[in-house]
Amino acid sequence: MGRLTGKRALITAAGQGIGRASALAMGAEGAEVFATDIDANALAGLDGMETFVMDVRDDASVAEGVAKAAPDVLFNCAGFVHHGTVLDATDGEWDFAFDLNVRAMYRTIRAALPGMLDKGSGSIINMSSACSSVMGAPNRFVYGTTKAAVIGLTKSVALDFITKGIRCNAICPGTVESPSWHERVKALGEEMGSYEAALEAFVSRQPMGRVASPEEIAALTVYLASEDPAFTTGQPF
Ligand code: NAD
């Protein structure tokens, strides 16, 4: 018997990176996993779980996906990293990032919460970042602002439903190795004239002297999805 046996877990952006690692880790702990992404091809190879396309920027797609999954656990993982300072950002980039990184959580939670309230239990896990209200990072103006909003959203949902069996927590990782992170290193490498220098710039600002693996973050999502932290809600981890 796994720590998540009997639980239905809906995961957004499960095609790659932290979302994919979390889908696999939750499945290994016995959860019935509903692994979703906007990219159908990215979901290939996630055996032993239900996979389907769900675009978290689309209300109808979210409503359909949530109805199918009827989740006990909702992991809102989808997000996008905008690169640049306040002087680089455009209104369009700001709107896109807020829609994908924050409003999408409003969409999924609004859709999933009534079912959780009917059951009298539910765990919502929202992907924030160390770059948020926790700390600033270079060239992460839009990104850090959206991820700070995720912490506010998390605390609000947690408090409003604290006596109804619902827990809502946020996770705030430092840099994690993932396909989009590799793209960010490549892009910075082009700016700096060397991939190695870009890699060094990313790694040197990590207090642990290395970046995390997606599996190390997935372990935290399993913990928050389980009943072990039954008295823990509204917290950024
Ligand atoms: P990633 O960025 O490599 O993958 C993102 C996934 O999101 C892709 O599979 C993509 O298809 C999917 N996606 C994009 N738009 C979508 C939409 N509209 N609907 C559904 N899915 C969509 O993965 P990652 O780097 O592990 O990042 C996942 C989350 O973790 C993001 O919210 C990110 O901000 C956050 N995060 C990442 C790091 C890091 O260093 N990698 C650190 C802290 C937080």
Side-chain angles (χ1 to χ4, degrees):
M1 202 136 125
R3 280 188 289 167
L4 303 182
T5 299
K7 291 190 187 295
R8 299 165 69 90
L10 174 61
I11 302 174
T12 74
Q16 62 186 43
I18 299 164
R20 188 181 186 93
S22 299
L24 292 166
M26 289 190 198
E29 285 290 347
E32 190 175 345
V33 176
F34 298 82
T36 70
D37 200 285
I38 195 172
D39 177 0
N41 293 331
L43 294 167
L46 285 172
D47 302 327
M49 57 187 76
E50 187 144 346
T51 59
F52 54 88
V53 168
M54 187 171 89
D55 176 1
V56 296
R57 300 187 63 214
D58 182 289
D59 273 318
S61 179
V62 166
E64 195 183 320
V66 168
K68 204 182 294 185
D72 304 289
V73 173
L74 169 64
F75 177 27
N76 282 314
C77 185
F80 170 76
V81 181
H82 174 269
H83 179 87
T85 71
V86 63
L87 297 179
D88 302 315
T90 66
D91 286 356
E93 289 166 342
W94 171 277
D95 289 346
F96 172 80
F98 264 88
D99 194 51
L100 178 53
N101 295 7
V102 189
R103 188 169 178 169
M105 296 187 184
Y106 166 39
R107 286 191 188 95
T108 56
I109 293 171
R110 183 171 59 181
L113 195 52
M116 292 178 171
L117 289 169
D118 284 348
K119 296 185 214 183
S121 77
S123 173
I124 300 166
I125 304 158
N126 295 328
M127 178 56 87
S128 178
S129 171
C131 173
S132 57
S133 50
V134 176
M135 62 183 284
N139 289 306
R140 291 291 178 265
F141 165 67
V142 172
Y143 181 71
T145 308
T146 64
K147 294 298 188 180
V150 169
I151 294 177
L153 178 153
T154 300
K155 286 183 178 288
S156 179
V157 172
L159 189 69
D160 282 340
F161 299 96
I162 194 162
T163 61
K164 309 283 186 210
I166 309 298
R167 291 179 292 115
C168 183
N169 292 289
I171 61 176
C172 306
T175 301
V176 184
E177 192 171 0
S178 75
S180 75
W181 177 67
H182 282 293
E183 291 305 313
R184 289 191 288 281
V185 179
K186 225 162 52 186
L188 185 64
E190 273 157 28
E191 228 176 272
M192 296 175 76
S194 148
Y195 180 85
E196 284 66 34
L199 194 59
E200 169 59 21
F202 267 102
V203 172
S204 65
R205 67 176 194 237
Q206 304 303 312
M208 280 203 184
R210 67 175 181 86
V211 299
S213 72
E215 290 73 23
E216 287 172 307
I217 310 306
L220 181 55
T221 68
V222 169
Y223 171 69
L224 290 171
S226 78
E227 293 304 317
D228 292 344
F231 206 67
T232 302
T233 191
Q235 300 304 312
F237 285 91

